[in-house]
Amino acid sequence: MRPYLNQAEHSGYLSASGRAVVERACDRIATGEFDDDDVPSRIHGDLWSGNVLWSPSGVVLIDPAAHGGHRETDLAMLALFGCPFLEEILAGYHIEHALKAGWQNRVALHQLHPLAVHAAGHGPSYGAELTHAAEAVLAL
């Protein structure tokens, strides 16, 4: 995330004080405090509502950037950019492979990276959102 912070601050999309908050969150993450015993899962990697195709025969995920990651990450991405039927998606996911207790509290943790990427090139609203997510992580 840190290289994206350089660009976001340089472009004026992330304030110096916001960057300091994000840096503190990065430092805390680096301690391993949020590590759990979940093994990496194959995740979509760019799962936002624009990559969810609702067809007559069912839902199809398109444009994957598949890689190994934490399974909460894709769900946090769906929440970040809004997804129709998100509650139903989460309920279905819970039936298939329940998330660990407290997953709702960790959504901001899994949104930090995509927010940093967007703050680097898509405007100051993402810098503010990134700062807010980092504050939420620090409050965990």
Side-chain angles (χ1 to χ4, degrees), residues 30-110:
T31 69
E33 175 182 347
F34 300 108
D35 294 355
D36 60 22
D37 60 354
D38 265 3
V39 296
S41 297
R42 174 72 59 197
I43 63 174
H44 182 281
D46 188 22
L47 192 55
W48 64 289
S49 62
N51 284 338
V52 179
L53 177 66
W54 304 92
S55 75
S57 58
V59 178
V60 179
L61 304 180
I62 61 171
D63 194 24
H67 62 276
H70 199 286
R71 56 198 187 99
E72 292 178 10
T73 301
D74 275 343
L75 299 175
M77 284 284 292
L78 286 175
L80 178 61
F81 296 111
C83 184
F85 308 107
L86 181 60
E87 292 304 316
E88 290 84 354
I89 292 168
L90 294 171
Y93 194 98
H94 183 73
I95 290 168
E96 291 300 316
H97 192 163
L99 296 166
K100 292 185 181 257
W103 68 267
Q104 298 96 329
N105 299 328
R106 294 184 298 273
V107 169
L109 174 67
H110 293 278

